[in-house]
Amino acid sequence: GVQADKIFRATIKKVAEERYDNDLQKAESFVNRFGYTNWSESDNDSGGRPKEWRTWLPPEHELIDAKTGFITNFDGKPSPQVHQFDRFGLYTSSQFIMDLMRVD
């Protein structure tokens, strides 16, 4: 939970600086709506899920498998349990977690 919250807060700060003249409230809304990666200029006005949703978290965090989108353990295997995933913000449950719960 703590690591997720740090990533979430750092992303909000980055978005605030780059897009919203340091307005953290607007930046948090943006991150909750569009997530952590694959932003485009039109994202300020339109919604939609990124084409590459499995890379929902930037690779520098080394927390996900880019082929599946699963959060991984230190050994690279999918984590059987992810505690406090809500610390990543609203985007993860509405745009990502629901896809992982689907059985193909």
Side-chain angles (χ1 to χ4, degrees):
V2 171
Q3 189 174 17
D5 188 64
K6 285 181 181 180
I7 293 167
F8 184 51
R9 298 293 156 202
T11 304
I12 291 168
K13 184 177 178 186
K14 177 182 175 184
V15 170
E17 291 169 356
E18 292 177 3
R19 292 178 176 255
Y20 293 106
D21 198 28
N22 292 311
D23 186 324
L24 295 174
Q25 187 174 12
K26 287 181 181 178
E28 183 171 348
S29 293
F30 177 90
V31 174
N32 278 326
R33 186 169 179 201
F34 297 106
Y36 291 86
T37 61
N38 305 314
W39 301 323
S40 70
E41 291 302 316
S42 65
D43 284 341
N44 284 329
D45 301 316
S46 65
R49 120 197 218 118
K51 184 177 180 182
E52 296 298 325
W53 67 268
R54 287 174 184 86
T55 55
W56 63 276
L57 196 61
E60 63 265 19
H61 299 296
E62 299 179 346
L63 288 176
I64 64 167
D65 179 335
K67 293 178 185 168
T68 64
F70 292 160
I71 292 177
T72 58
N73 291 322
F74 290 121
D75 63 3
K77 294 180 182 172
S79 179
Q81 179 179 1
V82 178
H83 181 63
Q84 295 180 326
F85 68 85
D86 61 314
R87 299 300 196 266
F88 282 112
L90 299 175
Y91 178 80
T92 54
S93 64
S94 66
Q95 295 289 328
F96 175 70
I97 298 297
M98 299 311 290
D99 283 319
L100 291 178
M101 292 171 46
R102 258 191 253 147
V103 178
D104 292 330

